[in-house]
Amino acid sequence: MNYWLIKSEPEAYSITDLQQQGETIWDGVRNYQARNFLRQMQMGDLAFFYHSNSNFPGIVGLTRVIKTGIADPTQFEPSSKYYDPKSTPESPRWQTVIVEFVEYFSQPILLSTLKEKFSSEELILVRTGNRLSVMPVPEIVAQKILAMKKL
């Protein structure tokens, strides 16, 4: 099993939205590096749900990948802000996954705390200038994060 971190602005899609829906397609990713990470995800992988662009950015919960290799449907919708006219159903440029809700953390693990606990080599999230919405989390770091939520 691998660990990941997925980001969303809470006003756009929050952990509460996922909890209410149970599962969701993680669509709208339009960064090639983040897309490549989505392509590497496997069923059963866990992903930390991170609220970005908020008063207190941080990890707020946990999700599980339940389906992989899905063509992001928003790339084919001309009315979508994620529309990609160069993408076709026969040769989609953007793939994604479906994640399910696992857990809502009783207290978020704030970005400030993550910066104190992890170096930029350990956790991509804390690197200066990082804007990826999907990124891998090394298992040793993931285990430490999981232990932090229990404090």
Side-chain angles (χ1 to χ4, degrees):
M1 176 176 54
N2 298 306
Y3 294 90
W4 306 90
L5 185 138
I6 56 177
K7 289 182 182 178
S8 181
E9 295 179 7
E11 293 78 27
Y13 193 83
S14 71
I15 188 76
T16 304
D17 295 326
L18 180 58
Q19 184 178 26
Q20 291 172 351
Q21 295 173 359
E23 65 182 50
T24 192
I25 186 168
W26 203 255
D27 60 1
V29 173
R30 292 299 180 270
N31 172 286
Y32 285 105
Q33 188 175 7
R35 182 218 44 201
N36 292 342
F37 289 143
L38 285 166
R39 287 178 171 176
Q40 293 173 31
M41 289 182 174
Q42 299 173 21
M43 287 180 45
D45 285 356
L46 293 176
F48 295 102
F49 196 114
Y50 181 90
H51 279 172
S52 62
N53 199 19
S54 65
N55 291 337
F56 302 101
I59 298 172
V60 294
L62 196 61
T63 70
R64 179 180 297 110
V65 177
I66 59 171
K67 191 167 183 186
T68 61
I70 299 166
D72 183 336
T74 61
Q75 68 191 309
F76 307 123
E77 299 169 9
S79 62
S80 171
K81 68 179 181 178
Y82 301 113
Y83 176 63
D84 184 344
K86 295 181 180 177
S87 190
T88 66
E90 300 75 34
S91 184
R93 294 172 73 172
W94 305 102
Q95 288 78 30
T96 192
V97 298
I98 294 178
V99 296
E100 69 178 355
F101 176 82
V102 173
E103 180 180 3
Y104 195 123
F105 292 178
S106 59
Q107 293 292 320
I109 303 172
L110 300 178
L111 176 59
S112 56
T113 302
L114 294 167
K115 286 181 175 181
E116 289 173 9
K117 302 287 184 186
F118 301 104
S119 72
S120 60
E121 289 77 34
E122 292 173 300
L123 184 59
I124 295 172
L125 177 71
V126 301
R127 288 185 187 161
T128 303
N130 172 58
R131 298 197 37 89
L132 287 176
S133 61
V134 178
M135 63 197 75
V137 176
E139 183 172 1
I140 191 163
V141 173
Q143 294 303 324
K144 289 177 183 178
I145 292 171
L146 289 169
M148 290 168 66
K149 77 174 183 71
K150 297 175 184 174
L151 299 177

